[in-house]
Each structure stands twice: as structure tokens, then as C-alpha cells.
Amino acid sequence: MKTAAPSVTQPRAIRVHDDDNVAVVVNQGGLAAGARLDLGVTLREDVPEAHKVALADLAAGDRIVRYGTVIGYARRSIAHGSWVHEGLIDPPQPPALADCPLATAPPAPLPRLEGFTFDGFRNADGSVGTKNILAIATTVQCTAPTVKHAVERIKAELLPRYPNVDDVVAIAHHYGCGVAIDAPGAAVPIRTLRNLSLNPNFGGELLLVSLGCEKLQPERMLGGGALKVLAGETSVAVLQDAEQGFGEMVAHIMALAEPKLQRLNQRHRVPCPASDLVVGLQCGGSDAFSGVTANPAVGFAADLLVRAGATVMFSEVTEVRDAAHLLTARAATAEVAQAFIREMAWYDEYLRLGGADRAANPTPGNKRGGLANVVEKAMGSIAKAGSTALMGVAGPGERVTQKGLVFAATPASDFICGTLQLAASMNMHIFTTGRGTPYGLAVVPVIKVATNSGLARRWPDLIDVDAGRIATSEATVEDIGWEIFRLILEVAGGRKKTWADHWGLHNEFVLFNPGPVT
Ligand code: CA
């Protein structure tokens, strides 16, 4: 979609904050020893692209500062101009949750933005769809291949008659039986499946396919509350009720689908205010540029969305854990801060029981991309959340109802986070990536933002926005932030397609199941 920027020729490194004693090399391919940076430092050794260079002489044990925050301590003395790689940095302790400040510095509201709209599908419950999809949900994995078979037949034989319906999607998953269904952890996947079925892009219609003997029975999955929220008709097909084999099962699902397709087909896009957007933010395949280009630009767009009255969700517990003290201070109320701390504490315990800690988060790709540890990753990650007050917190799989900036607790795993954000009622998804991934979701459009122009150049048919132009000084954070905001409105209104939707790249639904499997 975008013309890639030319590569930088002058040696260049970015310092984010005046207190920083490291900067990140911007030049594609890195810089050789002897290169003189515009920050007044000459490199003593080769430094790869997106990796850090010391701007001052550091003694062993000295603080290493990026984003104005200590991202670690020097393992040994480091001379200015040296490559500050992962092996030279001892990570700091995570902030103690008990010491986190509660709503001590909530930012004042920014001026309201009026007049921005998109054409969406208005639902009976007031929510708005950005796509018009028939969802066929499942209680259990046993039904998934049958439902997928039925979906192929519906798409081939029925869908052509209903041109206002965008897609038919099977909500297939690995849960529903062979699990400890009454264990405390089971509440998470069960409510995820329930709330996923209520996603605004399904228009209040739901077709649910059950096997019959599974632990997760339809009533348990949907619950009375969910059935009340759905304005349309909920139909349940039970495969074990079939008397005449597979053909009857598929014919039954298709017969239940047809009246739903008819009703969905009568819906049309109508002008809706930007406040009807529920935008989920995520990053995947991060690099050291994430926190200086794509994430601050997305953060600027997040502020615009909040100013326009929309809901903006950020997630990924292990990537915000090291910035917990900054986010609790930004909470609108002490109750919101405490809810945030509760989610962090739950996840600390979940990791402890699994014999892991947050240090398990950065991937080999993150590290090759210049991210030394989870603290550096977290500081870059929370830039996505912009600068407004934290208005609400949701647990994994819970529905988000507040407007403004909301934290929806999820693992950082791309497809699990995406699935949980869909359950939280997301209708648009923004995904920043440095290393690159073709990630996409069937239910909502996914706008992919590259942190560096090299990726945007290599993958022009997968990346929707090139935020690397910030590193090369061809665009500002504000420029790209406005570009993302306007693109969200265009895509949400069906006037433009993301690359993931162009190619039909749709990752699977992956549930977060912290409970035992039997
Ligand atoms: Ca992720």
C-alpha cells in the first residue's frame, strides 16, 4: 500500500529520552566500527541494525537507561561507542505490585475530537460491526471438521445468494471435553467462547453446533446472560441427534444457517461515530524500533481514538508487567489500579506454577532484533497505549464495556491475544511488527504496521503502514499516527481492505486454558 522509504546513508542512532545512555542504530545493515554518530559518539566496534550503542562510559553495575527507565545494569565496564548487547546487561527486578502507586497521576482528558465517522453495521444492542459475518460456533473440538465441511458447502452453495454477508466463519477450537470443566481455570476458556460468540461482527445471530455428550454443554457455554444479549435467533444443532449419518448433520447445519443468512443479508452499512470502534492493539515479532516508531505512532492514534470517544484495548500481560508502576499511576481511579494489579498478580502466580517467569517472554527473534530483555520490550510495548488515563481492566475472555483506554489481560502470544481481544468485543485490530508476520484474523480487519522500512520494503503486500519512516526522519510520530487513525476509519467502513483480508490470511482461534486437561 505504501512506497517504501529510501535507506539512511548517514550514520544515525535514536535516543528516545534525554536521560538515556544508550541509543539504537537506525541504518539498515548496521554500522561499522569507526562510524561517527550524529549524537557525537564514534563506534568502537560493529553494531547491528536496531541494536544499542553506549553513549557514555559505563562502570560495572551502572544503570543502563532507555526510555528514561532503567532497562538493566552493566555486567562489566562498557566504553562509550561499544555495542551494548544482551550479554552485557543484567535485568532489573520487576516492580513490586504492593508498592505500585494507585491512580496518583491520571492524565487530564484531552480535547474531544468530533466529526469522525465510519460506515458500520449497527446491532440491536448498540454495538457496531465492521464486517457482516455468519458465525458457526462449536462447543467442542469433536464437531470442528464437520462444521468446517458445512461452512465450505454454505460458502459454495448459499453465500452467493446473500451478497451483503461478508463471510461464514467456523469458531473451531481445541476445548470442550477431556478437560477439568469445573476447575477454576476453566472459567477462562468457557467465558472466552461465550463472549467470542457475541462479537459485534456476528450481528447478534448465532448458530451453535454441539456433539451431544461433551462436558461443555450448550447451556453452559452460552449461559442465560449471553442469550439475552443476542438479539437474533440462537439455533443449536446436536450432531448425535442425527438418525441418518453425516449427510443429515451437514444438511441440518445448512438449513439452520439459511434464515440467518437471510436476516444478515438485510443489513446495510450506516454512518456511525468513531466512538463505536473497539480497537485492539497488539505487537508481535518486536524489535528495538518498535518502541521508537510503530508503537508511539499507534499510541498517538490511540489518543485520537480515545479523544473521539472510542474504546482502545491494550493487552499482553508479560509485556506490560515491568511497566506496572507507570500504568497504575495512570489509572483513572484506585479501583482500576487495583484491578490492574490483580491481573498482574494472577499472571505472576500462573507463571510461577508453570515454573516460568517473565524473562521467558523475549524470543530469539526479539533478541536478534536488538531487544535485550523483557524490560526493554515492555517500555516499547506500552508506548502503544498512548498517554490517556487507564479507564478500565478486563480479565482474560471478559467483555469490555468501558469507553477510553482499557487493559484487557491476555498472554502475549499473538493468536491467543487476538482471540481474547475478539471475546472482549474488538471490532478493529492494529498489529505492530518489526521482525514480520503474515498474521490476520477472519472476524475483524487487522492493520499491520511495520516498525522499520526494511520490512515494509521486503513485504509490501503484507504490511499496511510503514512506521519506519519515523526512524529515517521522513515522517513524524504524529504523521503516522494520523495515517493509522484515518486508515482505521476507512477499513472499518469497508472502503479499504487490509492485506491480510486481501489474501485471506486468517489465524486460528486459540483459547487460553489455564486449567488442567484430563
Ligand atoms: Ca503478541
Side-chain angles (χ1 to χ4, degrees), residues 287-335:
D287 65 6
F289 287 132
S290 301
V292 287
T293 60
N295 289 355
V298 169
F300 189 86
D303 284 353
L304 295 175
L305 288 161
V306 169
R307 289 173 59 192
T311 301
V312 177
M313 265 188 279
F314 68 114
S315 294
E316 303 177 282
V317 171
T318 50
E319 297 189 3
V320 305
R321 177 64 181 85
D322 286 273
H325 53 302
L326 305 176
L327 292 163
T328 54
R330 256 171 79 179
T333 65
E335 289 71 32

Side-chain angles (χ1 to χ4, degrees), residues 409-460:
T410 76
S413 158
D414 295 352
F415 15 86
I416 296 179
C417 172
T419 301
L420 290 168
Q421 288 188 337
L422 289 173
S425 76
M426 163 169 80
N427 57 18
M428 278 296 300
H429 199 28
I430 310 299
F431 192 94
T432 68
T433 182
R435 308 292 299 172
T437 166
Y439 173 83
L441 296 172
V443 178
V444 302
V446 179
I447 293 175
K448 287 205 289 295
V449 182
T451 71
N452 62 86
S453 294
L455 173 63
R457 261 195 299 274
R458 284 187 288 121
W459 292 8

Side-chain angles (χ1 to χ4, degrees), residues 188-212:
V188 174
I190 294 172
R191 74 181 177 219
T192 302
L193 285 171
R194 176 185 307 144
N195 291 333
L196 195 49
S197 307
L198 301 176
N199 186 278
N201 282 9
F202 303 148
E205 298 284 345
L206 184 66
L207 172 47
L208 178 63
V209 178
S210 154
L211 178 63

Side-chain angles (χ1 to χ4, degrees), residues 186-242:
V188 174
I190 294 172
R191 74 181 177 219
T192 302
L193 285 171
R194 176 185 307 144
N195 291 333
L196 195 49
S197 307
L198 301 176
N199 186 278
N201 282 9
F202 303 148
E205 298 284 345
L206 184 66
L207 172 47
L208 178 63
V209 178
S210 154
L211 178 63
C213 61
E214 69 274 23
K215 283 185 174 170
L216 183 58
Q217 291 287 303
E219 310 77 54
R220 181 147 188 185
M221 180 181 136
L222 291 180
L227 292 173
K228 266 183 238 141
V229 173
L230 286 166
E233 185 185 81
T234 302
S235 312
V236 181
V238 182
L239 299 186
Q240 286 169 346
D241 288 351

